[in-house]
Amino acid sequence: MLDKNFLNKFLDIDFIISILPLFQKAFILTIEISFFGILFSIILGFLLSLILYYRIRFFQSIARFYIEISRNTPLIIQLFFLYFGLYYFVELSNFTCAIIGVTFLGGSYMAESFLLGLKSVKKSQIESALALGFNRVEILRFVILPQGLGLSMSAICANVLFLIKETSIVGVIGLQDLMSFSKELIGNYAMTNEALFLLIVAYIIILLPLSIIFSYLESWYRKHL
């Protein structure tokens, strides 16, 4: 093991220990925003993909318009609009704005990922299901979704990791997430090494297990498709 005096040359261990309670709050906040933002993104993206896949009139145009706006504007602009631009019409907390912002951004990426998987299902399989007497709902449930979700799994997992990293800018609307907390340590205490160390450790704790789980899921789906 490394000697504490050796570590103290690069990191102030006592300082790190003293700020761990505050760091834990920032860590939990980042987890909460990521969880709810990604959950709602998946739900929204899935519904949009069905609208686009079945080419439902009127809603298809709205879905396409939303996807173009979402994918072509940065999250920071979306957060500013939600928190400052809508202030005179509806007052939303910064936490709510962060979740809506992540959902708004992530929904478009999830929709494209789901749609890619749905479109990858061969038409011959759908025609075979029709010949067997399956109705539209049964074809979606038993033929399209099992294969489509498997084929889109890789893109969905990549989107999840992408959205978690995107939450690092929610500090612009006054939330003390991991990135905002690290900036505060650097600005107020000049503890650059300690701030970067905690930031790196935090994102490794969040992202590394997810990457391992997603890799396993992708391998499982490849074997069972």
Side-chain angles (χ1 to χ4, degrees):
M1 295 186 60
L2 295 175
D3 185 68
K4 184 177 179 181
N5 292 328
F6 177 79
L7 286 175
N8 276 326
K9 293 179 180 178
F10 305 97
L11 298 171
D12 189 333
I13 303 300
D14 293 329
F15 177 79
I16 290 177
I17 294 173
S18 69
I19 62 169
L20 280 180
L22 295 176
F23 172 77
Q24 183 182 14
K25 290 182 180 179
F27 182 85
I28 293 173
L29 179 63
T30 298
I31 293 291
E32 290 176 340
I33 294 173
S34 299
F35 175 79
F36 288 110
I38 291 169
L39 175 63
F40 296 144
S41 294
I42 291 174
I43 296 172
L44 177 60
F46 179 69
L47 294 176
L48 290 172
S49 68
L50 293 180
I51 290 172
L52 294 171
Y53 181 75
Y54 287 110
R55 299 179 181 178
I56 301 175
R57 292 183 180 180
F58 178 70
F59 292 108
Q60 182 182 13
S61 300
I62 294 176
R64 281 295 178 194
F65 177 75
Y66 154 72
I67 289 173
E68 291 301 320
I69 293 296
S70 174
R71 289 175 67 96
N72 290 287
T73 53
L75 178 57
I76 189 171
I77 294 178
Q78 297 168 9
L79 291 174
F80 278 150
F81 176 77
L82 289 167
Y83 192 64
F84 299 109
L86 295 181
Y87 178 78
Y88 294 102
F89 304 98
V90 57
E91 187 174 350
L92 300 172
S93 68
N94 49 9
F95 181 75
T96 301
C97 288
I99 293 175
I100 295 175
V102 174
T103 302
F104 185 83
L105 176 67
S108 59
Y109 286 91
M110 292 297 181
E112 293 288 355
S113 298
F114 280 120
L115 185 61
L116 179 65
L118 297 179
K119 286 185 174 181
S120 298
V121 178
K122 295 180 180 180
K123 291 184 178 180
S124 60
Q125 297 190 39
I126 298 174
E127 292 170 354
S128 298
L130 286 170
L132 292 171
F134 282 41
N135 60 39
R136 206 170 186 179
V137 175
E138 290 172 335
I139 292 174
L140 176 65
R141 180 181 175 184
F142 297 111
V143 179
I144 298 175
L145 284 184
Q147 297 182 68
L149 292 178
L151 293 168
S152 60
M153 181 60 64
S154 178
I156 293 171
C157 292
N159 289 338
V160 169
L161 299 178
F162 162 73
L163 290 173
I164 292 174
K165 288 181 280 189
E166 282 293 295
T167 61
S168 61
I169 66 169
V170 298
V172 298
I173 55 174
L175 287 168
Q176 194 173 52
D177 67 314
L178 288 171
M179 182 63 72
S180 178
F181 180 71
S182 299
K183 289 179 179 178
E184 183 178 311
L185 292 183
I186 296 172
N188 295 343
Y189 303 98
M191 293 293 187
T192 303
N193 290 343
E194 289 75 10
L196 294 178
F197 171 76
L198 287 173
L199 190 62
I200 291 171
V201 169
Y203 276 105
I204 288 176
I205 291 173
I206 296 172
L207 297 174
L208 184 58
L210 287 176
S211 297
I212 295 172
I213 293 171
F214 291 159
S215 296
Y216 172 78
L217 286 176
E218 290 173 29
S219 300
W220 188 87
Y221 264 107
R222 289 195 193 99
K223 292 179 181 178
H224 291 81
L225 276 178

